Each structure stands twice: as C-alpha cells, then as structure tokens.
C-alpha cells in the first residue's frame, strides 16, 4: 500500500476535523477514505496515495460525512488534485483522472 501524500496516518487525526474545525485531536475511530470514488479511481487513489483518515462522523455517519455530502467529496477531490500536482503535474492528473476539480 502506498503512503498517503495528503494526510499522515501516524498523526491519528481526522482530516476533516482538522480542515473544517481546526480540531487536531487524536482519534480511535479513524477509517481510511480514498479521495477519488469509483472502482477504477479507488485503485488509482491507492496507487498514488490519495487517501485520508476520517472519523465516523466525517466518513459515513450523518450529513457531515463525505459519503453523504457532495460538497465535502468535491473538497477532498480538489485537495487530492492539489497534492498530486505538487508531486507530479497537472498534465499527469488530467491524463490519469480526466477531470479538473480545482
Ligand atoms: Zn472528523
Ligand atoms: Zn470512504
């Protein structure tokens, strides 16, 4: 498994708690989330480390969960693209994912 280029797993923080609430608390209920949805993109997310760790509330449970909230899904996709392009390039991103989220 590739290491995330978006979020350091060892921090034990929730990516969206940090981003949305400035909450840097360590958590026990973290789950791995691949930033790019869909079967093919999930594999690509894994290969390029486009994944974050999320608490239950921000992953699957309730209205502030990325799987239930298109706005949050887009936010993670945009951040995945930014992280990817910092390491590779915009051309590579478009070649691989075919869509601009920024
Ligand atoms: Zn959270
Ligand atoms: Zn997920």
């Amino acid at each position: 498994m590739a290491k995330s280029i978006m979020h350091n797993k060892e921090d034990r923080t929730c990516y969206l708690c940090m981003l949305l609430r400035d909450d840097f608390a360590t958590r026990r209920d973290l789950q791995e989330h691949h930033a790019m949805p869909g079967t093919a993109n999930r594999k690509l997310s894994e290969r390029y480390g486009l994944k974050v760790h999320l608490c239950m509330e921000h992953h699957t449970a309730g209205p502030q969960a990325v799987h239930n909230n298109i706005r949050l899904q887009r936010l993670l996709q945009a951040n995945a693209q930014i992280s990817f392009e910092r390491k590779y390039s915009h051309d590579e991103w478009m070649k691989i994912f075919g869509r601009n989220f920024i």
Side-chain angles (χ1 to χ4, degrees), residues 14-18 21 23 27 30 53-59:
C14 166
Y15 186 81
L16 286 176
C17 281
M18 287 197 296
R21 299 177 184 161
D23 179 355
R27 301 192 158 267
L30 294 173
H53 286 82
L54 298 172
C55 69
M56 292 287 287
E57 186 192 343
H58 282 129
H59 192 215

Side-chain angles (χ1 to χ4, degrees), residues 2 6 23 25 82:
M6 298 176 69
D23 179 355
I82 290 166

Side-chain angles (χ1 to χ4, degrees), residues 56-88:
M56 292 287 287
E57 186 192 343
H58 282 129
H59 192 215
T60 53
Q64 293 303 308
V66 67
H67 283 274
N68 303 326
N69 187 319
I70 190 71
R71 192 181 62 83
L72 290 176
Q73 189 178 302
R74 289 283 177 274
L75 178 68
L76 286 188
Q77 287 171 308
N79 284 0
Q81 184 177 347
I82 290 166
S83 296
F84 180 96
E85 292 186 359
R86 209 175 276 149
K87 188 169 178 187
Y88 305 99

